[in-house]
Amino acid sequence: MENEKERDVIAGRNAVTEALKAGRPIDSILVRRGEKNGSVSSILRMAKQAGIPVKEVDSRKLDGMCGGENHQGVIAMAAVHAFSEVEDIFALAESRNEPPFILVCDEIADPHNLGAILRTAECTGAHGVVIPKRRSVGLTAAVGKASAGAVEYVPVARVTNIAVFLEEIKARGVWVYAADMDGTDWCQTDFSGPVALVVGSEGFGVSRLVKEKSDFIVSLPMKGRINSLNASVACGVLCYEIARQRAGIKAKG
C-alpha cells in the first residue's frame, strides 16, 4: 500500500516540472543547496509565479525523503488539497450571511495539530484557516488524514506574513484574539462579531509581534502541573466558546 511519504513526494526535475505545469497542488519545493542551474532555474521561476515556497536543503535530506529514488536535486511536496485565497474565506462568510470566523495558525509545525485544527474549524463553523507560507506545516498527507476529511471543506489560505495579514483584516473590521497565557479569561471574553482566533506554535506559542498586533489576549485556566495545552486542544476549547456565543446559546448560571 502507498504510504504517506510516497504520496507526498514528487522526485526529479521532469516530474516536478510536469506537476507544476499541470497545476497540481504543491505544498513546497525542496532544492539541493546551491542548485540553481539548467531546468532547476525554470522550476524556481514557476514556483515563484505560483506562490509556492522553495527551501534549500542538504542533499542527504533529499536522499532520505526519496528512499533511494534519483531526485536530481529537486523534490516537490504534494498537497492533499489546493490552497485557497484569503478572499475565498471572506466570500464563504458572506455567502452564509455570517460575520467572518477565521482561525490563524502562527507557525504550527505538527501535521496532527493542523489536521485537528481543520477538523475543529469544520465542526464549529469557521470559514477558513490561515497559515504562513514558511515555518509551518502545509497540507500534507498527514494533515489530510488527521483532519478526518475536513481538508475537503475548510478553505486554507497561505500568507507571507501573519502580522501584516492581521493588520489587513483588522482594517476590514475583524477583531483579533490571540490564545496565550496571562490574558483575559476565555469565559469573560466577548467573541461576538467578526473574529480571528490566533493559535501559536507547539513550542513557542504566539510570537511577540503577532501578540502585539492582536486586539485581545485570551487564556484558558491551568489547574495542573503542566502549564500549557496542546495547540489543537486549546483551539478546540476556544472555538466552541466562539460557536456558543455566535449561536446565542446561554451558559448555565
Side-chain angles (χ1 to χ4, degrees):
M1 181 180 291
E2 188 180 40
N3 62 31
E4 287 178 1
K5 178 181 285 190
E6 289 168 339
R7 291 202 307 272
D8 273 345
V9 176
I10 303 170
R13 299 183 184 192
N14 288 339
V16 172
T17 298
E18 293 305 318
L20 288 166
K21 287 181 178 179
R24 181 170 176 180
I26 301 294
D27 181 70
S28 60
I29 292 176
L30 279 61
V31 178
R32 182 165 49 210
R33 191 166 285 110
E35 193 84 57
K36 296 180 180 178
N37 298 322
S39 57
V40 174
S41 63
S42 175
I43 289 171
L44 296 178
R45 185 174 62 254
M46 287 190 288
K48 184 176 181 180
Q49 291 172 347
I52 299 169
V54 175
K55 307 170 187 176
E56 287 195 7
V57 298
D58 188 273
S59 183
R60 289 172 296 182
K61 181 176 178 66
L62 298 179
D63 294 340
M65 296 180 73
C66 293
E69 186 176 351
N70 184 15
H71 51 70
Q72 301 173 304
V74 181
I75 68 171
M77 302 301 295
V80 293
H81 197 277
F83 286 94
S84 299
E85 301 294 333
V86 170
E87 289 306 319
D88 296 328
I89 296 174
F90 280 91
L92 179 58
E94 184 176 1
S95 71
R96 295 178 181 173
N97 197 28
E98 297 171 345
F101 176 12
I102 306 168
L103 300 184
V104 183
C105 297
D106 186 18
E107 300 186 12
I108 295 289
D110 188 327
H112 299 95
N113 271 337
L114 181 57
I117 287 170
L118 289 173
R119 190 173 185 176
T120 297
E122 165 64 12
C123 292
T124 56
H127 301 109
V129 174
V130 173
I131 63 175
K133 285 186 177 180
R134 302 187 184 279
R135 296 186 297 277
S136 171
V137 66
L139 294 182
T140 64
V143 170
K145 183 176 180 180
S147 80
V151 70
E152 299 293 334
Y153 306 107
V154 178
V156 179
R158 293 194 291 193
V159 297
T160 302
N161 187 297
I162 292 292
V164 171
F165 165 72
L166 295 182
E167 288 282 15
E168 292 171 350
I169 63 172
K170 284 166 66 174
R172 299 175 70 163
V174 178
W175 294 97
V176 178
Y177 301 78
D180 200 62
M181 299 176 67
D182 303 320
T184 303
D185 190 293
W186 67 299
C187 290
Q188 298 175 355
T189 301
D190 181 2
F191 290 109
S192 61
V195 170
L197 175 65
V198 184
V199 182
S201 67
E202 297 85 351
F204 303 99
V206 179
S207 65
R208 177 189 58 81
L209 184 57
V210 169
K211 278 193 284 189
E212 290 175 358
K213 298 295 184 182
S214 301
D215 297 301
F216 305 97
I217 307 297
V218 293
S219 300
L220 296 168
M222 296 291 135
K223 300 298 184 182
R225 298 181 182 179
I226 298 175
N227 65 2
S228 66
L229 282 172
N230 172 279
S232 62
V233 173
C235 178
V237 173
L238 292 169
C239 279
Y240 267 97
E241 176 60 15
I242 294 169
R244 182 190 70 78
Q245 292 189 23
R246 290 166 74 90
I249 300 171
K250 299 295 183 182
K252 186 175 181 181

